[in-house]
Amino acid sequence: MMVVVADTSPLNYLVLIDGVDVLHQLYDRFCVPDAVIAELRSCDAPPRVQQWAASLPAWVEVYRSG
């Protein structure tokens, strides 16, 4: 099964509580729009979130949202 996350907040908070890997346990593929990844990499995001978004796990797929 594949899930698409179209909002930054769920990923942001899952990364901060060290729970983001649960998504991979629940879903084979996980798609995120490039705009969401850009927000997670923003200087306004917490450093831990920026680091996660800069080096995405292999199970996260980024797609163009435009």
Side-chain angles (χ1 to χ4, degrees):
M1 182 187 331
M2 175 181 64
V3 67
V4 176
V5 172
D7 186 28
T8 305
S9 295
L11 285 174
N12 184 63
Y13 291 115
L14 283 171
V15 169
L16 290 176
I17 64 169
D18 293 323
V20 74
D21 289 333
V22 74
L23 295 172
H24 184 42
Q25 295 170 3
L26 294 172
Y27 306 103
D28 296 327
R29 292 176 37 213
F30 190 79
C31 295
V32 183
D34 57 354
V36 169
I37 297 300
E39 283 186 46
L40 295 173
R41 291 177 178 165
S42 164
C43 62
D44 295 329
R48 184 189 292 175
V49 174
Q50 291 177 28
Q51 290 174 330
W52 183 84
S55 181
L56 294 171
W59 49 270
V60 175
E61 297 179 25
V62 180
Y63 69 92
R64 289 190 76 164
S65 58

Coordinates of all heavy atoms in Angstrom, one line a residue:
M1 N 0.8 -1.2 0.0 CA 0.0 0.0 0.0 C 0.9 1.2 0.0 O 2.0 1.2 0.5 CB -0.9 0.0 1.2 CG -1.8 1.2 1.2 SD -2.8 1.6 2.6 CE -3.2 0.1 3.5
M2 N 0.4 2.3 -0.6 CA 1.1 3.6 -0.7 C 0.3 4.6 0.0 O -1.0 4.6 -0.1 CB 1.3 4.0 -2.1 CG 2.0 5.3 -2.2 SD 2.3 5.9 -3.9 CE 0.7 6.0 -4.6
V3 N 0.9 5.6 0.7 CA 0.2 6.7 1.3 C 0.9 8.0 0.8 O 2.1 8.0 0.5 CB 0.2 6.6 2.8 CG1 1.6 6.7 3.4 CG2 -0.7 7.6 3.4
V4 N 0.2 9.0 0.7 CA 0.7 10.3 0.3 C 0.5 11.3 1.4 O -0.6 11.4 1.9 CB 0.0 10.8 -1.0 CG1 0.5 12.2 -1.4 CG2 0.2 9.9 -2.2
V5 N 1.5 12.0 1.8 CA 1.4 13.0 2.8 C 1.5 14.3 2.1 O 2.5 14.6 1.5 CB 2.5 12.9 3.9 CG1 2.5 14.1 4.8 CG2 2.3 11.6 4.7
A6 N 0.5 15.2 2.3 CA 0.4 16.4 1.6 C 0.5 17.6 2.6 O 0.2 18.7 2.2 CB -0.9 16.5 0.8
D7 N 1.0 17.4 3.8 CA 1.1 18.4 4.8 C 2.4 18.2 5.6 O 2.8 17.1 5.8 CB -0.1 18.4 5.7 CG -0.1 19.6 6.7 OD1 0.5 20.7 6.3 OD2 -0.6 19.5 7.8
T8 N 3.1 19.3 5.9 CA 4.3 19.2 6.6 C 4.2 18.7 8.1 O 5.1 18.0 8.6 CB 5.0 20.6 6.6 OG1 5.1 21.0 5.2 CG2 6.4 20.5 7.2
S9 N 3.2 19.1 8.8 CA 3.1 18.9 10.2 C 3.2 17.5 10.6 O 3.9 17.2 11.6 CB 1.8 19.5 10.7 OG 1.8 20.9 10.6
P10 N 2.5 16.5 10.0 CA 2.7 15.1 10.5 C 4.1 14.6 10.4 O 4.6 14.0 11.4 CB 1.8 14.3 9.5 CG 0.8 15.3 9.0 CD 1.5 16.6 8.9
L11 N 4.8 14.9 9.3 CA 6.2 14.5 9.3 C 7.1 15.2 10.3 O 7.9 14.6 10.9 CB 6.7 14.7 7.8 CG 6.2 13.7 6.8 CD1 6.7 14.1 5.4 CD2 6.7 12.3 7.1
N12 N 6.8 16.5 10.4 CA 7.6 17.3 11.3 C 7.6 16.7 12.7 O 8.6 16.5 13.4 CB 7.1 18.7 11.3 CG 7.9 19.7 12.2 OD1 9.0 19.9 11.9 ND2 7.2 20.2 13.2
Y13 N 6.3 16.4 13.2 CA 6.2 15.9 14.6 C 6.7 14.5 14.7 O 7.2 14.1 15.8 CB 4.8 16.1 15.0 CG 4.4 17.6 15.2 CD1 3.5 18.2 14.4 CD2 5.1 18.4 16.1 CE1 3.2 19.6 14.6 CE2 4.9 19.7 16.3 CZ 3.9 20.3 15.5 OH 3.7 21.7 15.7
L14 N 6.4 13.7 13.7 CA 6.9 12.3 13.8 C 8.5 12.2 13.9 O 9.0 11.4 14.6 CB 6.4 11.5 12.6 CG 5.0 11.0 12.7 CD1 4.5 10.4 11.4 CD2 4.8 10.1 13.9
V15 N 9.1 13.1 13.1 CA 10.6 13.2 13.2 C 11.0 13.6 14.6 O 11.9 13.0 15.2 CB 11.2 14.1 12.1 CG1 12.6 14.4 12.4 CG2 10.9 13.5 10.7
L16 N 10.3 14.6 15.1 CA 10.7 15.2 16.4 C 10.5 14.2 17.6 O 11.3 14.2 18.6 CB 9.9 16.5 16.7 CG 10.3 17.7 15.9 CD1 9.4 18.8 16.2 CD2 11.8 18.0 16.1
I17 N 9.5 13.3 17.5 CA 9.3 12.3 18.5 C 10.0 11.0 18.2 O 9.7 10.0 18.8 CB 7.8 12.2 18.9 CG1 7.1 11.6 17.7 CG2 7.2 13.5 19.3 CD1 5.6 11.1 18.0
D18 N 10.8 10.9 17.2 CA 11.5 9.7 16.7 C 10.5 8.6 16.4 O 10.7 7.4 16.6 CB 12.4 9.2 17.8 CG 13.6 10.1 18.0 OD1 14.1 10.7 17.0 OD2 14.1 10.3 19.2
G19 N 9.4 9.0 15.7 CA 8.4 8.0 15.3 C 8.1 7.9 13.8 O 7.2 7.2 13.4
V20 N 9.0 8.6 13.1 CA 8.7 8.6 11.6 C 8.9 7.2 11.0 O 8.3 6.9 10.0 CB 9.6 9.7 10.9 CG1 11.1 9.2 10.8 CG2 9.1 10.0 9.6
D21 N 9.7 6.3 11.6 CA 9.9 5.0 11.0 C 8.6 4.1 11.1 O 8.5 3.1 10.4 CB 11.0 4.3 11.7 CG 12.4 4.9 11.3 OD1 12.5 5.4 10.2 OD2 13.3 4.8 12.1
V22 N 7.6 4.5 11.9 CA 6.4 3.8 12.0 C 5.7 3.8 10.6 O 4.9 2.9 10.2 CB 5.5 4.3 13.1 CG1 4.8 5.6 12.8 CG2 4.4 3.3 13.4
L23 N 5.9 4.9 9.9 CA 5.3 5.0 8.5 C 5.7 3.9 7.6 O 5.0 3.3 6.9 CB 5.5 6.4 7.9 CG 4.9 7.6 8.7 CD1 5.4 8.9 8.1 CD2 3.4 7.5 8.7
H24 N 7.0 3.6 7.7 CA 7.6 2.5 6.9 C 7.0 1.2 7.3 O 6.9 0.3 6.5 CB 9.1 2.5 6.9 CG 9.7 1.6 6.0 ND1 9.3 1.3 4.7 CD2 10.8 0.7 6.2 CE1 10.0 0.4 4.2 NE2 11.0 0.0 5.0
Q25 N 6.8 1.0 8.6 CA 6.2 -0.2 9.1 C 4.8 -0.4 8.6 O 4.3 -1.5 8.4 CB 6.3 -0.3 10.6 CG 7.7 -0.3 11.1 CD 7.7 -0.1 12.6 OE1 6.7 0.0 13.3 NE2 9.0 0.0 13.2
L26 N 4.0 0.7 8.4 CA 2.6 0.6 8.0 C 2.4 0.6 6.5 O 1.5 0.0 6.0 CB 1.9 1.8 8.6 CG 1.8 1.9 10.1 CD1 1.2 3.2 10.5 CD2 0.9 0.8 10.6
Y27 N 3.3 1.3 5.8 CA 3.2 1.4 4.3 C 4.4 1.0 3.6 O 5.5 1.4 4.0 CB 2.8 2.9 4.0 CG 1.7 3.4 4.8 CD1 1.8 4.3 5.8 CD2 0.4 3.0 4.4 CE1 0.7 4.8 6.5 CE2 -0.7 3.5 5.1 CZ -0.5 4.4 6.2 OH -1.6 4.8 6.9
D28 N 4.2 0.3 2.5 CA 5.4 0.0 1.6 C 6.0 1.2 1.0 O 7.3 1.3 1.0 CB 5.0 -1.0 0.5 CG 4.4 -2.3 1.1 OD1 4.9 -2.7 2.1 OD2 3.5 -2.9 0.4
R29 N 5.2 2.1 0.5 CA 5.7 3.3 -0.2 C 5.1 4.5 0.5 O 3.9 4.5 0.8 CB 5.4 3.2 -1.7 CG 6.1 2.1 -2.4 CD 5.7 2.0 -3.9 NE 5.5 3.3 -4.5 CZ 4.6 3.4 -5.5 NH1 3.9 2.3 -5.9 NH2 4.3 4.5 -6.1
F30 N 5.8 5.5 0.5 CA 5.4 6.7 1.2 C 5.8 7.9 0.3 O 7.0 8.1 0.0 CB 6.2 6.8 2.5 CG 5.7 7.9 3.4 CD1 4.5 7.7 4.2 CD2 6.3 9.1 3.5 CE1 4.0 8.7 5.0 CE2 5.9 10.0 4.4 CZ 4.7 9.9 5.1
C31 N 4.8 8.6 -0.3 CA 5.1 9.7 -1.2 C 4.8 11.0 -0.6 O 3.9 11.2 0.2 CB 4.2 9.6 -2.4 SG 4.5 8.1 -3.4
V32 N 5.7 12.0 -0.9 CA 5.6 13.3 -0.3 C 5.9 14.3 -1.4 O 6.8 14.2 -2.2 CB 6.7 13.5 0.8 CG1 6.6 14.9 1.4 CG2 6.6 12.4 1.8
P33 N 5.0 15.3 -1.5 CA 5.3 16.4 -2.5 C 6.6 17.1 -2.3 O 7.0 17.3 -1.1 CB 4.1 17.3 -2.4 CG 3.1 16.6 -1.6 CD 3.8 15.6 -0.7
D34 N 7.2 17.6 -3.3 CA 8.5 18.3 -3.2 C 8.3 19.6 -2.4 O 9.2 20.0 -1.7 CB 9.1 18.6 -4.6 CG 8.2 19.4 -5.5 OD1 7.0 19.6 -5.2 OD2 8.7 19.7 -6.6
A35 N 7.1 20.2 -2.4 CA 6.8 21.4 -1.6 C 6.9 21.1 -0.1 O 7.4 21.9 0.7 CB 5.5 22.0 -2.0
V36 N 6.5 19.9 0.3 CA 6.5 19.5 1.7 C 8.0 19.3 2.1 O 8.4 19.8 3.1 CB 5.7 18.3 2.0 CG1 6.0 17.7 3.3 CG2 4.2 18.6 1.8
I37 N 8.7 18.6 1.2 CA 10.2 18.4 1.5 C 10.9 19.7 1.6 O 11.7 19.9 2.5 CB 10.8 17.5 0.5 CG1 10.2 16.1 0.5 CG2 12.3 17.4 0.7 CD1 10.3 15.4 1.8
A38 N 10.5 20.7 0.8 CA 11.2 22.0 0.8 C 10.9 22.7 2.1 O 11.8 23.3 2.7 CB 10.7 22.9 -0.3
E39 N 9.7 22.6 2.7 CA 9.3 23.1 4.0 C 10.1 22.5 5.1 O 10.6 23.1 6.0 CB 7.8 23.0 4.2 CG 7.0 24.0 3.5 CD 5.5 23.9 3.9 OE1 5.3 23.9 5.2 OE2 4.7 23.9 3.1
L40 N 10.3 21.1 5.0 CA 11.0 20.4 6.0 C 12.5 20.8 6.0 O 13.2 20.7 7.0 CB 10.8 18.9 5.8 CG 9.4 18.4 6.0 CD1 9.4 16.9 5.7 CD2 8.9 18.6 7.5
R41 N 13.0 21.2 4.9 CA 14.4 21.6 4.7 C 14.6 23.0 5.0 O 15.8 23.5 5.1 CB 14.9 21.2 3.3 CG 15.0 19.7 3.1 CD 15.5 19.5 1.6 NE 15.6 18.0 1.4 CZ 15.7 17.4 0.3 NH1 15.6 18.2 -0.8 NH2 15.8 16.1 0.2
S42 N 13.6 23.8 5.2 CA 13.7 25.2 5.4 C 14.4 25.6 6.7 O 14.4 24.8 7.6 CB 12.2 25.8 5.5 OG 12.2 27.1 6.0
C43 N 15.0 26.7 6.7 CA 15.7 27.2 7.9 C 14.8 27.4 9.1 O 15.2 27.5 10.2 CB 16.6 28.4 7.6 SG 15.6 29.8 7.1
D44 N 13.5 27.5 8.8 CA 12.4 27.7 9.8 C 12.1 26.3 10.5 O 11.5 26.3 11.6 CB 11.2 28.2 9.2 CG 11.4 29.7 8.7 OD1 12.2 30.4 9.3 OD2 10.7 30.0 7.8
A45 N 12.5 25.2 9.9 CA 12.2 23.9 10.5 C 13.2 23.6 11.6 O 14.4 24.1 11.5 CB 12.3 22.8 9.4
P46 N 12.8 22.8 12.6 CA 13.8 22.4 13.6 C 15.0 21.7 13.0 O 14.9 21.0 11.9 CB 13.0 21.4 14.5 CG 11.6 21.8 14.3 CD 11.5 22.2 12.8
P47 N 16.2 21.8 13.5 CA 17.4 21.2 13.0 C 17.3 19.7 12.7 O 17.7 19.2 11.7 CB 18.5 21.5 14.0 CG 18.0 22.8 14.7 CD 16.5 22.7 14.7
R48 N 16.7 19.0 13.6 CA 16.5 17.5 13.5 C 15.7 17.2 12.2 O 15.9 16.3 11.5 CB 15.9 16.9 14.7 CG 15.8 15.4 14.6 CD 15.0 14.8 15.7 NE 15.6 14.9 17.0 CZ 15.0 14.5 18.1 NH1 13.8 14.0 18.1 NH2 15.7 14.7 19.2
V49 N 14.6 18.0 12.0 CA 13.8 17.8 10.8 C 14.5 18.2 9.6 O 14.4 17.4 8.6 CB 12.5 18.7 11.0 CG1 11.6 18.6 9.7 CG2 11.7 18.3 12.2
Q50 N 15.3 19.2 9.6 CA 16.1 19.6 8.4 C 17.1 18.5 8.1 O 17.2 18.1 6.9 CB 16.9 20.9 8.7 CG 16.1 22.1 8.8 CD 17.0 23.3 9.2 OE1 18.1 23.3 8.9 NE2 16.4 24.3 9.9
Q51 N 17.7 17.9 9.1 CA 18.6 16.8 8.8 C 17.9 15.6 8.2 O 18.4 15.0 7.3 CB 19.3 16.4 10.1 CG 20.3 17.4 10.6 CD 20.8 17.0 12.0 OE1 20.2 16.3 12.8 NE2 22.1 17.4 12.3
W52 N 16.8 15.2 8.7 CA 16.0 14.1 8.2 C 15.6 14.3 6.8 O 15.8 13.5 5.9 CB 14.8 13.8 9.1 CG 14.0 12.6 8.6 CD1 14.2 11.3 8.9 CD2 12.9 12.6 7.7 NE1 13.3 10.5 8.3 CE2 12.5 11.3 7.5 CE3 12.2 13.6 7.0 CZ2 11.4 10.9 6.7 CZ3 11.1 13.2 6.2 CH2 10.8 11.9 6.1
A53 N 15.1 15.5 6.5 CA 14.7 15.9 5.1 C 15.9 16.0 4.1 O 15.7 15.8 2.9 CB 13.9 17.2 5.1
A54 N 17.1 16.3 4.6 CA 18.2 16.4 3.8 C 18.7 15.0 3.3 O 19.4 14.9 2.3 CB 19.3 17.2 4.5
S55 N 18.4 14.0 4.1 CA 18.9 12.7 3.8 C 17.7 11.7 4.0 O 17.7 11.0 5.0 CB 20.1 12.3 4.8 OG 20.5 11.0 4.5
L56 N 16.8 11.7 3.1 CA 15.6 11.0 3.2 C 15.9 9.5 3.1 O 16.7 9.0 2.3 CB 14.6 11.3 2.0 CG 14.1 12.8 2.1 CD1 13.3 13.1 0.8 CD2 13.2 12.9 3.3
P57 N 15.1 8.7 3.9 CA 15.2 7.2 3.8 C 14.8 6.7 2.4 O 14.0 7.4 1.7 CB 14.3 6.7 4.8 CG 13.9 7.9 5.7 CD 14.1 9.1 4.9
A58 N 15.2 5.6 2.0 CA 14.9 5.1 0.7 C 13.5 4.8 0.5 O 13.0 4.8 -0.7 CB 15.7 3.8 0.4
W59 N 12.7 4.6 1.5 CA 11.3 4.3 1.4 C 10.4 5.6 1.2 O 9.2 5.5 1.0 CB 10.8 3.5 2.6 CG 11.1 4.0 3.9 CD1 12.3 3.7 4.7 CD2 10.4 5.0 4.7 NE1 12.3 4.4 5.8 CE2 11.1 5.2 5.9 CE3 9.2 5.7 4.5 CZ2 10.7 6.1 6.9 CZ3 8.8 6.5 5.5 CH2 9.5 6.7 6.7
V60 N 11.0 6.7 1.2 CA 10.3 8.0 1.0 C 10.5 8.4 -0.5 O 11.6 8.5 -0.9 CB 10.8 9.1 1.9 CG1 10.1 10.4 1.5 CG2 10.5 8.8 3.3
E61 N 9.4 8.6 -1.2 CA 9.5 9.0 -2.6 C 9.0 10.5 -2.7 O 7.9 10.8 -2.1 CB 8.5 8.1 -3.5 CG 9.0 6.7 -3.5 CD 8.0 5.8 -4.4 OE1 7.4 6.4 -5.3 OE2 7.9 4.6 -4.1
V62 N 9.7 11.3 -3.4 CA 9.3 12.7 -3.6 C 8.8 12.9 -5.0 O 9.4 12.4 -5.9 CB 10.5 13.6 -3.3 CG1 10.2 15.1 -3.5 CG2 11.1 13.4 -1.9
Y63 N 7.6 13.5 -5.1 CA 7.1 13.8 -6.4 C 6.8 15.3 -6.6 O 6.6 16.0 -5.6 CB 5.8 13.0 -6.7 CG 4.6 13.4 -5.8 CD1 3.7 14.3 -6.3 CD2 4.4 12.8 -4.6 CE1 2.6 14.7 -5.6 CE2 3.3 13.2 -3.9 CZ 2.4 14.1 -4.4 OH 1.3 14.5 -3.6
R64 N 6.9 15.7 -7.8 CA 6.7 17.1 -8.2 C 5.2 17.4 -8.0 O 4.3 16.8 -8.5 CB 7.1 17.4 -9.6 CG 8.6 17.3 -9.7 CD 9.0 17.9 -11.1 NE 8.8 19.3 -11.0 CZ 9.4 20.2 -11.8 NH1 10.1 19.7 -12.8 NH2 9.2 21.4 -11.7
S65 N 4.9 18.5 -7.2 CA 3.6 18.9 -7.0 C 3.2 20.1 -7.7 O 2.8 21.1 -7.2 CB 3.4 19.1 -5.5 OG 4.3 20.1 -5.0
G66 N 3.4 20.1 -9.0 CA 3.1 21.3 -9.8 C 2.7 21.0 -11.1 O 1.9 21.1 -11.8

